[in-house]
Coordinates of all heavy atoms in Angstrom, one line a residue:
M1 N -133.2 8.4 24.2 CA -133.4 7.1 24.7 C -134.0 6.1 23.7 O -134.8 6.5 22.8 CB -134.4 7.2 25.9 CG -133.9 7.9 27.1 SD -135.0 8.0 28.5 CE -135.3 6.3 28.9
P2 N -133.5 4.9 23.7 CA -134.0 4.0 22.7 C -135.5 3.6 22.9 O -136.0 3.7 24.1 CB -133.1 2.8 22.9 CG -132.6 2.9 24.3 CD -132.5 4.4 24.6
G3 N -136.1 3.1 21.9 CA -137.5 2.6 22.0 C -138.6 3.6 22.1 O -139.7 3.4 22.6
Q4 N -138.3 4.9 21.7 CA -139.3 5.9 21.8 C -140.3 5.8 20.7 O -140.0 5.3 19.6 CB -138.6 7.3 21.6 CG -137.7 7.7 22.8 CD -138.5 7.9 24.1 OE1 -139.4 8.7 24.1 NE2 -138.2 7.2 25.1
I5 N -141.5 6.3 20.9 CA -142.6 6.2 19.9 C -142.3 7.4 19.0 O -142.0 8.5 19.4 CB -143.9 6.4 20.6 CG1 -144.2 5.2 21.6 CG2 -145.1 6.6 19.6 CD1 -145.4 5.4 22.5
P6 N -142.5 7.1 17.7 CA -142.3 8.2 16.7 C -143.2 9.4 16.9 O -144.3 9.3 17.4 CB -142.6 7.5 15.3 CG -142.5 6.0 15.6 CD -142.8 5.9 17.0
E7 N -142.7 10.6 16.6 CA -143.4 11.8 16.8 C -144.7 11.8 16.1 O -145.7 12.3 16.6 CB -142.5 13.0 16.3 CG -143.0 14.3 16.8 CD -142.9 14.5 18.3 OE1 -142.0 13.9 19.0 OE2 -143.8 15.2 18.9
T8 N -144.8 11.3 14.9 CA -146.1 11.2 14.1 C -147.1 10.4 14.8 O -148.3 10.7 14.9 CB -145.8 10.6 12.7 OG1 -145.2 9.3 12.8 CG2 -145.0 11.5 11.8
V9 N -146.7 9.3 15.5 CA -147.6 8.5 16.3 C -148.1 9.2 17.5 O -149.3 9.2 17.8 CB -147.0 7.1 16.7 CG1 -147.9 6.3 17.6 CG2 -146.6 6.3 15.4
K10 N -147.2 10.0 18.1 CA -147.6 10.8 19.3 C -148.6 11.8 18.9 O -149.6 12.0 19.6 CB -146.4 11.5 19.9 CG -145.4 10.6 20.6 CD -144.2 11.4 21.1 CE -143.0 10.6 21.6 NZ -141.9 11.4 22.0
K11 N -148.4 12.5 17.8 CA -149.3 13.5 17.4 C -150.7 12.9 17.0 O -151.7 13.5 17.3 CB -148.8 14.3 16.2 CG -147.6 15.2 16.6 CD -147.1 16.0 15.4 CE -146.0 16.9 15.9 NZ -145.4 17.7 14.8
E12 N -150.7 11.8 16.4 CA -151.9 11.1 16.0 C -152.7 10.7 17.2 O -153.9 10.9 17.3 CB -151.6 9.9 15.1 CG -152.9 9.2 14.6 CD -152.5 8.0 13.8 OE1 -151.4 7.9 13.2 OE2 -153.4 7.1 13.7
R13 N -152.0 10.1 18.2 CA -152.7 9.7 19.4 C -153.2 10.9 20.2 O -154.3 10.9 20.8 CB -151.7 8.9 20.3 CG -151.4 7.5 19.8 CD -150.4 6.8 20.6 NE -150.1 5.5 20.1 CZ -149.2 4.7 20.6 NH1 -148.5 5.0 21.7 NH2 -149.0 3.5 20.1
S14 N -152.5 12.0 20.2 CA -152.9 13.2 20.9 C -154.2 13.8 20.3 O -155.1 14.2 21.0 CB -151.8 14.2 20.9 OG -152.2 15.4 21.5
S15 N -154.2 13.8 19.0 CA -155.4 14.2 18.2 C -156.6 13.4 18.6 O -157.7 13.9 18.8 CB -155.1 14.2 16.7 OG -156.2 14.6 16.0
I16 N -156.4 12.1 18.6 CA -157.5 11.2 18.9 C -158.1 11.5 20.3 O -159.3 11.6 20.6 CB -157.1 9.7 18.8 CG1 -156.9 9.4 17.3 CG2 -158.2 8.8 19.4 CD1 -156.2 8.1 17.1
L17 N -157.2 11.7 21.3 CA -157.6 11.9 22.7 C -158.3 13.3 22.8 O -159.3 13.4 23.5 CB -156.4 11.9 23.6 CG -155.8 10.5 23.8 CD1 -154.5 10.6 24.7 CD2 -156.8 9.6 24.6
R18 N -157.8 14.3 22.0 CA -158.5 15.6 22.1 C -159.9 15.5 21.5 O -160.9 16.1 22.0 CB -157.7 16.7 21.3 CG -156.5 17.2 22.1 CD -155.9 18.5 21.5 NE -155.5 18.3 20.1 CZ -154.3 17.8 19.8 NH1 -153.5 17.5 20.7 NH2 -154.0 17.7 18.5
Q19 N -160.1 14.7 20.4 CA -161.4 14.5 19.9 C -162.4 13.8 20.9 O -163.5 14.2 21.0 CB -161.3 13.7 18.6 CG -160.7 14.5 17.4 CD -160.5 13.6 16.2 OE1 -160.9 12.4 16.2 NE2 -159.9 14.2 15.2
I20 N -161.9 12.8 21.5 CA -162.6 12.1 22.5 C -163.0 13.0 23.7 O -164.2 13.0 24.1 CB -161.9 10.9 23.0 CG1 -161.8 9.8 21.9 CG2 -162.6 10.3 24.3 CD1 -160.8 8.7 22.3
A21 N -162.1 13.8 24.1 CA -162.3 14.8 25.2 C -163.4 15.8 24.8 O -164.3 16.1 25.6 CB -161.1 15.5 25.6
S22 N -163.3 16.3 23.6 CA -164.3 17.3 23.1 C -165.7 16.7 23.0 O -166.7 17.3 23.5 CB -163.9 17.8 21.7 OG -162.8 18.6 21.8
K23 N -165.8 15.5 22.5 CA -167.1 14.8 22.4 C -167.7 14.5 23.8 O -168.9 14.7 24.0 CB -167.0 13.5 21.6 CG -166.8 13.8 20.1 CD -166.7 12.5 19.3 CE -166.4 12.7 17.9 NZ -166.3 11.5 17.1
S24 N -166.8 14.1 24.7 CA -167.2 13.9 26.1 C -167.7 15.2 26.8 O -168.8 15.2 27.4 CB -166.1 13.3 26.9 OG -166.5 13.1 28.2
A25 N -167.0 16.3 26.6 CA -167.4 17.5 27.2 C -168.8 18.0 26.6 O -169.6 18.5 27.3 CB -166.3 18.6 26.9
L26 N -168.9 17.9 25.3 CA -170.2 18.3 24.6 C -171.4 17.4 25.1 O -172.5 17.9 25.4 CB -170.1 18.1 23.1 CG -169.3 19.2 22.4 CD1 -169.1 18.9 21.0 CD2 -169.9 20.6 22.6
A27 N -171.1 16.1 25.3 CA -172.2 15.2 25.8 C -172.6 15.6 27.2 O -173.7 15.6 27.6 CB -171.7 13.8 25.7
F28 N -171.6 15.9 28.0 CA -171.8 16.3 29.4 C -172.7 17.6 29.4 O -173.7 17.7 30.1 CB -170.6 16.5 30.2 CG -170.8 17.0 31.6 CD1 -171.3 16.1 32.6 CD2 -170.6 18.3 32.0 CE1 -171.6 16.6 33.9 CE2 -170.8 18.8 33.2 CZ -171.3 17.9 34.2
A29 N -172.2 18.6 28.7 CA -173.0 19.9 28.6 C -174.4 19.7 28.1 O -175.3 20.2 28.7 CB -172.2 20.9 27.8
D30 N -174.5 18.8 27.1 CA -175.8 18.6 26.5 C -176.8 17.9 27.6 O -178.0 18.2 27.6 CB -175.7 17.6 25.3 CG -176.9 17.6 24.4 OD1 -177.4 18.7 24.1 OD2 -177.4 16.5 24.1
G31 N -176.2 17.1 28.4 CA -177.0 16.5 29.5 C -177.4 17.4 30.6 O -178.3 17.1 31.4
Q32 N -176.9 18.6 30.6 CA -177.2 19.6 31.6 C -178.4 20.5 31.1 O -178.9 21.3 31.9 CB -176.0 20.5 32.0 CG -174.9 19.7 32.5 CD -175.2 18.9 33.8 OE1 -175.7 19.4 34.8 NE2 -175.1 17.6 33.7
L33 N -178.7 20.4 29.9 CA -179.8 21.3 29.3 C -181.1 21.1 30.1 O -181.5 20.0 30.4 CB -180.0 21.0 27.8 CG -178.9 21.3 26.9 CD1 -179.2 20.9 25.5 CD2 -178.6 22.8 26.9
G34 N -181.7 22.3 30.4 CA -182.9 22.3 31.2 C -182.8 22.2 32.7 O -183.7 22.5 33.4
R35 N -181.6 21.9 33.1 CA -181.3 21.9 34.6 C -181.0 23.3 35.1 O -180.6 24.1 34.4 CB -180.2 21.0 34.9 CG -180.4 19.5 34.6 CD -179.3 18.7 34.9 NE -179.5 17.3 34.5 CZ -179.2 16.3 35.2 NH1 -178.5 16.4 36.3 NH2 -179.4 15.1 34.8
E36 N -181.3 23.5 36.4 CA -181.0 24.7 37.1 C -179.6 24.6 37.6 O -179.3 23.7 38.4 CB -182.0 25.0 38.2 CG -182.0 26.3 38.7 CD -183.1 26.6 39.7 OE1 -182.9 26.3 40.9 OE2 -184.2 27.1 39.3
L37 N -178.7 25.5 37.2 CA -177.4 25.5 37.7 C -177.1 26.7 38.6 O -177.6 27.8 38.3 CB -176.4 25.6 36.5 CG -176.5 24.5 35.4 CD1 -175.6 24.8 34.2 CD2 -176.3 23.1 36.0
E38 N -176.3 26.5 39.6 CA -175.8 27.6 40.4 C -174.6 28.2 39.7 O -173.6 27.4 39.4 CB -175.5 27.2 41.8 CG -176.7 26.8 42.6 CD -176.4 26.5 44.0 OE1 -175.3 26.3 44.4 OE2 -177.4 26.5 44.8
V39 N -174.6 29.5 39.4 CA -173.5 30.1 38.6 C -173.0 31.3 39.3 O -173.7 32.1 39.9 CB -174.1 30.5 37.2 CG1 -173.0 31.3 36.4 CG2 -174.6 29.4 36.4
I40 N -171.6 31.5 39.3 CA -171.0 32.7 39.8 C -170.5 33.4 38.5 O -169.6 32.9 37.8 CB -169.9 32.4 40.8 CG1 -169.4 33.7 41.4 CG2 -168.8 31.5 40.3 CD1 -168.7 33.6 42.7
F41 N -171.0 34.6 38.3 CA -170.6 35.4 37.1 C -169.4 36.2 37.5 O -169.3 36.8 38.6 CB -171.7 36.3 36.6 CG -172.8 35.5 35.9 CD1 -174.0 35.2 36.5 CD2 -172.6 35.0 34.6 CE1 -175.0 34.5 35.9 CE2 -173.6 34.3 34.0 CZ -174.8 34.0 34.6
E42 N -168.4 36.2 36.7 CA -167.1 36.8 37.0 C -166.7 38.1 36.3 O -166.2 39.0 36.8 CB -166.0 35.8 36.9 CG -166.1 34.6 37.8 CD -165.0 33.6 37.5 OE1 -164.4 33.6 36.5 OE2 -164.8 32.8 38.4
K43 N -166.9 38.1 34.9 CA -166.5 39.2 34.2 C -167.4 39.5 33.0 O -168.1 38.6 32.5 CB -165.0 39.1 33.8 CG -164.8 37.8 32.9 CD -163.3 37.7 32.7 CE -163.0 36.3 32.1 NZ -161.5 36.1 31.9
S44 N -167.3 40.7 32.5 CA -168.1 41.1 31.3 C -167.2 40.9 30.1 O -166.0 41.3 30.1 CB -168.5 42.5 31.4 OG -169.3 42.9 30.3
R45 N -167.8 40.3 29.0 CA -167.1 40.1 27.8 C -168.1 40.4 26.6 O -169.1 39.7 26.6 CB -166.5 38.7 27.7 CG -165.7 38.5 26.5 CD -165.2 37.0 26.4 NE -164.4 36.7 27.6 CZ -164.1 35.5 28.0 NH1 -164.5 34.5 27.3 NH2 -163.4 35.3 29.1
N46 N -167.7 41.2 25.7 CA -168.6 41.5 24.6 C -170.0 41.9 25.0 O -171.0 41.4 24.3 CB -168.6 40.4 23.6 CG -167.2 40.1 23.0 OD1 -166.4 41.0 22.9 ND2 -166.9 38.9 22.7
G47 N -170.2 42.6 26.0 CA -171.5 43.0 26.5 C -172.3 42.0 27.2 O -173.5 42.2 27.6
R48 N -171.7 40.8 27.5 CA -172.4 39.7 28.2 C -171.5 39.4 29.4 O -170.3 39.5 29.3 CB -172.6 38.5 27.3 CG -173.2 38.8 26.0 CD -174.6 38.5 25.7 NE -175.5 37.7 26.3 CZ -176.2 36.7 25.8 NH1 -175.9 36.3 24.6 NH2 -177.1 36.1 26.5
I49 N -172.1 38.9 30.4 CA -171.4 38.5 31.6 C -171.1 37.0 31.5 O -172.0 36.2 31.2 CB -172.1 38.9 32.9 CG1 -172.4 40.4 32.9 CG2 -171.3 38.5 34.1 CD1 -173.3 40.8 34.0
T50 N -169.9 36.6 31.8 CA -169.5 35.2 31.8 C -169.1 34.7 33.2 O -168.7 35.5 34.0 CB -168.3 34.9 30.8 OG1 -167.2 35.7 31.3 CG2 -168.7 35.3 29.4
G51 N -169.4 33.4 33.4 CA -169.0 32.8 34.7 C -169.0 31.3 34.6 O -169.0 30.7 33.5
W52 N -169.0 30.7 35.8 CA -168.9 29.2 35.9 C -170.0 28.6 36.7 O -170.3 29.2 37.8 CB -167.5 28.9 36.5 CG -166.4 29.3 35.6 CD1 -165.7 30.5 35.7 CD2 -165.9 28.6 34.5 NE1 -164.7 30.5 34.7 CE2 -164.8 29.4 33.9 CE3 -166.2 27.4 33.8 CZ2 -164.1 29.0 32.8 CZ3 -165.5 27.1 32.7 CH2 -164.4 27.9 32.2
S53 N -170.5 27.5 36.3 CA -171.5 26.8 37.0 C -170.8 26.0 38.1 O -169.6 25.8 38.1 CB -172.3 25.9 36.1 OG -171.5 24.8 35.7
D54 N -171.6 25.4 39.0 CA -171.1 24.6 40.1 C -170.5 23.3 39.6 O -169.8 22.7 40.4 CB -172.2 24.4 41.2 CG -173.5 23.7 40.6 OD1 -173.6 23.7 39.3 OD2 -174.3 23.3 41.4
N55 N -170.8 23.0 38.4 CA -170.1 21.8 37.8 C -169.1 22.1 36.7 O -168.9 21.3 35.8 CB -171.2 20.7 37.4 CG -172.1 21.3 36.4 OD1 -172.0 22.4 35.9 ND2 -173.1 20.5 36.0
Y56 N -168.6 23.3 36.8 CA -167.5 23.8 36.0 C -167.8 24.0 34.5 O -166.9 23.8 33.6 CB -166.2 22.9 36.1 CG -165.8 22.9 37.6 CD1 -166.1 21.8 38.3 CD2 -165.2 24.0 38.2 CE1 -165.7 21.7 39.7 CE2 -164.8 23.9 39.5 CZ -165.1 22.8 40.2 OH -164.7 22.8 41.6
L57 N -169.1 24.3 34.2 CA -169.4 24.6 32.8 C -169.3 26.2 32.6 O -169.8 26.9 33.5 CB -170.8 24.2 32.5 CG -171.0 22.7 32.3 CD1 -172.5 22.3 32.2 CD2 -170.3 22.2 31.1
G58 N -168.8 26.6 31.5 CA -168.8 28.0 31.2 C -170.2 28.5 30.9 O -170.9 27.8 30.1
V59 N -170.6 29.6 31.5 CA -172.0 30.1 31.3 C -171.9 31.5 30.8 O -171.1 32.3 31.3 CB -172.8 30.0 32.6 CG1 -174.2 30.6 32.4 CG2 -172.9 28.5 33.0
I60 N -172.7 31.9 29.8 CA -172.8 33.2 29.3 C -174.2 33.7 29.8 O -175.2 33.0 29.6 CB -172.8 33.3 27.8 CG1 -171.4 32.7 27.3 CG2 -173.0 34.7 27.3 CD1 -171.4 32.4 25.8
S61 N -174.2 34.9 30.4 CA -175.5 35.4 31.0 C -176.6 35.5 29.9 O -176.3 35.9 28.8 CB -175.2 36.7 31.6 OG -174.9 37.7 30.7
P62 N -177.8 35.2 30.4 CA -178.9 35.5 29.5 C -179.1 37.0 29.5 O -178.4 37.7 30.2 CB -180.1 34.9 30.3 CG -179.5 34.0 31.3 CD -178.1 34.5 31.6
K63 N -180.0 37.5 28.6 CA -180.2 38.9 28.5 C -180.6 39.4 29.9 O -181.2 38.8 30.7 CB -181.3 39.2 27.6 CG -181.1 38.8 26.2 CD -180.3 39.8 25.4 CE -180.2 39.3 24.0 NZ -179.1 39.9 23.3
G64 N -180.1 40.6 30.2 CA -180.4 41.2 31.5 C -179.1 41.4 32.3 O -178.0 41.2 31.9
S65 N -179.3 41.9 33.5 CA -178.2 42.2 34.4 C -178.0 41.2 35.5 O -179.0 40.8 36.1 CB -178.6 43.6 35.0 OG -177.8 43.8 36.1
F66 N -176.8 40.8 35.6 CA -176.5 39.8 36.7 C -175.3 40.3 37.5 O -174.4 40.8 37.0 CB -176.1 38.4 36.0 CG -177.3 37.7 35.5 CD1 -177.7 38.0 34.2 CD2 -177.9 36.7 36.2 CE1 -178.8 37.3 33.7 CE2 -179.0 36.1 35.7 CZ -179.5 36.4 34.4
P67 N -175.4 40.1 38.8 CA -174.3 40.5 39.7 C -173.1 39.7 39.5 O -173.2 38.5 39.4 CB -174.9 40.4 41.1 CG -175.9 39.3 41.0 CD -176.5 39.4 39.6
T68 N -171.9 40.3 39.5 CA -170.7 39.5 39.5 C -170.3 39.2 40.9 O -170.6 39.9 41.9 CB -169.5 40.3 38.8 OG1 -169.3 41.5 39.5 CG2 -169.8 40.5 37.4
G69 N -169.7 38.0 41.1 CA -169.2 37.6 42.4 C -170.3 37.1 43.4 O -170.0 36.8 44.5
K70 N -171.5 36.9 42.8 CA -172.6 36.3 43.6 C -173.1 35.1 42.9 O -173.1 35.0 41.7 CB -173.7 37.3 43.9 CG -173.3 38.4 44.7 CD -174.5 39.3 45.1 CE -174.0 40.4 46.0 NZ -175.1 41.2 46.5
I71 N -173.6 34.1 43.6 CA -174.1 32.9 43.0 C -175.6 33.1 42.7 O -176.4 33.5 43.5 CB -174.0 31.7 44.0 CG1 -172.5 31.4 44.2 CG2 -174.7 30.4 43.4 CD1 -172.2 30.4 45.3
V72 N -175.9 32.8 41.4 CA -177.3 33.0 41.0 C -177.7 31.7 40.3 O -176.9 31.0 39.8 CB -177.5 34.2 40.0 CG1 -177.3 35.5 40.7 CG2 -176.6 34.1 38.8
K73 N -179.0 31.4 40.3 CA -179.5 30.2 39.6 C -179.9 30.5 38.2 O -180.6 31.5 37.9 CB -180.7 29.6 40.4 CG -180.2 29.0 41.7 CD -181.4 28.3 42.4 CE -180.8 27.8 43.8 NZ -181.8 27.0 44.5
V74 N -179.4 29.7 37.2 CA -179.7 29.9 35.8 C -180.1 28.6 35.2 O -179.4 27.5 35.5 CB -178.4 30.4 35.1 CG1 -178.6 30.5 33.6 CG2 -178.0 31.8 35.7
R75 N -181.1 28.6 34.4 CA -181.5 27.4 33.7 C -180.6 27.2 32.5 O -180.4 28.1 31.7 CB -183.0 27.4 33.2 CG -183.4 26.1 32.6 CD -184.8 25.8 32.7 NE -185.5 26.1 34.0 CZ -185.6 25.3 35.1 NH1 -185.0 24.2 35.1 NH2 -186.2 25.7 36.1
A76 N -180.0 26.0 32.3 CA -179.1 25.7 31.3 C -179.8 25.6 29.9 O -180.7 24.8 29.8 CB -178.3 24.5 31.6
T77 N -179.3 26.4 28.9 CA -179.9 26.3 27.6 C -178.7 26.3 26.6 O -177.6 26.5 26.9 CB -180.7 27.5 27.3 OG1 -179.9 28.7 27.2 CG2 -181.8 27.7 28.3
R78 N -179.1 26.0 25.4 CA -178.0 26.0 24.3 C -177.5 27.4 24.1 O -176.4 27.6 23.6 CB -178.6 25.5 23.0 CG -178.9 24.0 23.0 CD -179.0 23.5 21.6 NE -179.2 22.0 21.7 CZ -178.2 21.1 21.8 NH1 -177.0 21.6 21.9 NH2 -178.4 19.9 21.9
E79 N -178.2 28.4 24.5 CA -177.8 29.8 24.3 C -176.9 30.3 25.4 O -176.2 31.3 25.2 CB -179.0 30.7 24.2 CG -179.8 30.5 22.9 CD -180.7 29.3 22.9 OE1 -181.2 28.9 24.0 OE2 -180.9 28.7 21.9
N80 N -176.9 29.6 26.5 CA -176.0 30.2 27.6 C -174.9 29.3 28.1 O -174.1 29.7 28.8 CB -176.9 30.7 28.8 CG -177.6 29.6 29.5 OD1 -177.4 28.4 29.3 ND2 -178.5 29.9 30.4
L81 N -174.9 28.0 27.7 CA -173.8 27.2 28.0 C -172.7 27.4 26.9 O -172.9 27.2 25.8 CB -174.1 25.7 28.0 CG -175.0 25.2 29.2 CD1 -175.3 23.7 29.1 CD2 -174.4 25.6 30.5
A82 N -171.6 28.0 27.4 CA -170.5 28.4 26.5 C -170.1 27.3 25.5 O -169.9 27.6 24.3 CB -169.3 28.9 27.3
I83 N -170.0 26.1 25.9 CA -169.5 25.0 25.1 C -170.5 24.7 24.0 O -170.2 24.1 23.0 CB -169.1 23.8 25.9 CG1 -168.3 22.8 25.1 CG2 -170.4 23.1 26.5 CD1 -167.6 21.8 25.9
L84 N -171.8 25.0 24.2 CA -172.8 24.7 23.2 C -173.2 25.9 22.4 O -174.0 25.8 21.4 CB -174.0 24.1 23.9 CG -173.8 22.8 24.7 CD1 -175.1 22.4 25.4 CD2 -173.4 21.7 23.7
C85 N -172.7 27.1 22.7 CA -173.1 28.3 22.0 C -172.5 28.4 20.6 O -173.1 28.9 19.7 CB -172.7 29.5 22.8 SG -173.7 29.8 24.2
G86 N -171.2 28.0 20.5 CA -170.5 28.2 19.2 C -170.8 27.2 18.2 O -171.5 26.2 18.5
E87 N -170.3 27.4 17.1 CA -170.4 26.4 16.0 C -169.4 25.3 16.2 O -168.2 25.5 16.5 CB -170.1 27.1 14.7 CG -170.2 26.2 13.5 CD -169.9 26.9 12.2 OE1 -169.9 28.1 12.2 OE2 -169.7 26.2 11.2
I88 N -169.9 24.0 16.1 CA -169.0 22.9 16.4 C -168.1 22.7 15.1 O -168.6 22.5 14.0 CB -169.8 21.6 16.7 CG1 -170.6 21.8 18.0 CG2 -168.9 20.4 16.8 CD1 -171.6 20.7 18.3
M89 N -166.8 22.6 15.3 CA -165.9 22.4 14.2 C -165.3 21.0 14.3 O -164.9 20.6 15.4 CB -164.8 23.4 14.3 CG -165.2 24.9 14.3 SD -166.1 25.4 12.9 CE -164.8 25.5 11.7
E90 N -165.3 20.3 13.2 CA -164.7 18.9 13.3 C -163.6 18.8 12.3 O -163.5 19.5 11.4 CB -165.8 17.9 12.9 CG -166.9 17.9 14.0 CD -167.5 16.6 14.2 OE1 -166.8 15.6 14.1 OE2 -168.7 16.6 14.5

């Protein structure tokens, strides 16, 4: 079809949007620090249990045992919010 945007422009715009989305997700997660989240833990990975908060943040269990399939309250920290646990790559 005529009038299409060049592939290089599409890729550049896509990259910009992914960067904006990542920064937005990090800012949202950072805003949850210190809050009590309701979390349902689903599966064990690398010796830790992972699950999802009621506002769709990935959560890694603190030390200890947590039941899977049940909602538990967890205080959000940099160590247990999955998006804030890893090293930020830019």
